[in-house]
Amino acid sequence: MSEGILVIDSGGVLEILIDRPEKKNALTAPMYRAMTAALASASARTDVGVVLVGGLGDAFCAGNDLADFMSGPDGAEAALDFIRAIAVFEKPLVAAVQGLAVGVGTTMLFHCDLVYASPDAAFVMPFVNLGIVPEAASSLLAPATLGHAKAAAMLLLGEPLDAQGAERAGLVTAVVPADALLGHARAKAAALMAKPPEALLATRRLMKGDPVLVSARIEEEARIFREALQSPEAREAFTAFFEKRPPVFRRG
C-alpha cells in the first residue's frame, strides 16, 4: 500500500483501490505514481489477468487534488504517466464507481472494459470550466462512446451525467446497488479470469482498435493542456476555485 492507494492481490485479479475518502479520493502525484507502478506490475506478472479499479468511501475519484496539482510540474507529469499507462494496458480493466467521478475519475473509465456504477454515481469532466482541455484521449473517446451531443454537453458545458444516463450512453456496463457494487465488480473480474486468456486478450485488442490514434490524441491533449495551464483563463479559473467565487472571463 502506498499513501492513498491500496493494492490487493486476489486470485489473479489485481485491485487498485483509491483510499483517500476524506478528500473524496482526489489524486496527488504520489498516488498517481503508485497506480502507474501497480499497472506496470500487473502487466509484467503472468499470474495477473485482470485489474479492478475502485474507490473507498462515498466517492470513486474527485479528480486531481488541485492544490497538489498546482504546486509544481510533478503533479501534471505524474498524472500524464498514469494516463499513458492505463491507455496502453493490455489486460482487461474493470471499474467500480460510486459517488463522484470527476475529471480523470471519468476519463480513465474510457480505457476500462467493464464499468459498474452505483445509482448515486455522477460523471463530470469540468476541464473547460477550469480554462483547460480534456485529457486521457477523452476528446476522442467521449464522442465515440457517448455520441457527439452528449459528449459536448459534458466536455463543453461541464454538465454531469448520472449513473442511469451513463448506462444508456454506453459509458457504464450496469448500475448496481451501492452495497453490492464492489462485490459485483469482483465477481465479473473473476469471471474474466476464468476465460481462455489468449482468446480474451486477442479479443480485447481487436475491440480497442488502433492504439496509435489514442496515444497520439493523449500527447496532443497534453501539449495543449500545458499551454492552457499558463493562460489567463486558467489562472482566473483556479484562483476563483480556491477563493470560492465565480470566475470572471474576459473576451478580447
Side-chain angles (χ1 to χ4, degrees):
M1 178 174 178
S2 174
E3 182 180 353
I5 300 295
L6 180 62
V7 179
I8 301 173
D9 270 304
S10 179
V13 177
L14 190 74
E15 297 185 7
I16 303 174
L17 302 178
I18 308 170
D19 185 17
R20 199 185 179 209
E22 73 281 5
K23 294 292 186 180
K24 303 293 184 183
N25 290 333
L27 296 170
T28 63
M31 293 167 71
Y32 274 120
R33 285 194 289 267
M35 292 193 297
T36 302
L39 288 173
S41 174
S43 182
R45 289 174 52 186
T46 58
D47 62 317
V48 172
V50 180
V51 166
L52 187 155
V53 182
L56 302 181
D58 63 2
F60 172 65
C61 175
N64 290 312
D65 181 312
L66 291 184
D68 179 83
F69 188 78
M70 297 303 292
S71 65
D74 191 41
E77 290 308 310
L80 182 57
D81 286 344
F82 168 71
I83 285 165
R84 289 170 174 148
I86 199 169
V88 300
F89 189 72
E90 293 188 341
K91 298 176 182 180
L93 285 157
V94 179
V97 181
Q98 79 285 356
L100 286 174
V102 179
V104 71
T106 288
T107 62
M108 73 168 80
L109 302 176
F110 291 112
H111 302 282
C112 294
D113 303 290
L114 299 172
V115 178
Y116 300 101
S118 62
D120 69 339
F123 305 87
V124 192
M125 296 186 286
F127 301 104
V128 166
N129 295 354
L130 292 170
I132 52 180
V133 299
E135 27 90 305
S138 56
S139 63
L140 174 70
L141 298 176
T145 302
L146 309 173
H148 182 86
K150 185 61 68 177
M154 294 188 74
L155 288 172
L156 301 182
L157 289 174
E159 291 183 351
L161 189 63
D162 65 16
Q164 291 74 24
E167 183 182 23
R168 288 193 297 270
L171 177 61
V172 164
T173 308
V175 178
V176 179
D179 59 357
L181 176 64
L182 190 54
H184 184 85
R186 284 171 168 158
K188 295 299 183 180
L192 289 172
M193 272 300 297
K195 302 297 181 185
E198 294 303 322
L200 185 68
L201 293 178
T203 300
R204 186 181 190 269
R205 284 194 296 270
L206 289 167
M207 291 177 67
K208 287 290 185 180
D210 187 355
V212 174
L213 294 176
V214 172
S215 293
R217 182 59 61 92
I218 286 171
E219 299 307 321
E220 182 181 8
E221 289 172 343
R223 177 183 62 79
I224 300 171
F225 192 104
R226 292 188 190 99
E227 294 172 356
L229 270 180
Q230 308 305 316
S231 70
E233 288 183 350
R235 286 197 296 272
E236 167 60 13
F238 280 94
T239 298
F241 175 86
F242 288 117
E243 293 179 353
K244 296 181 171 55
R245 63 170 174 81
V248 179
F249 299 116
R250 305 188 185 284
R251 294 182 177 271

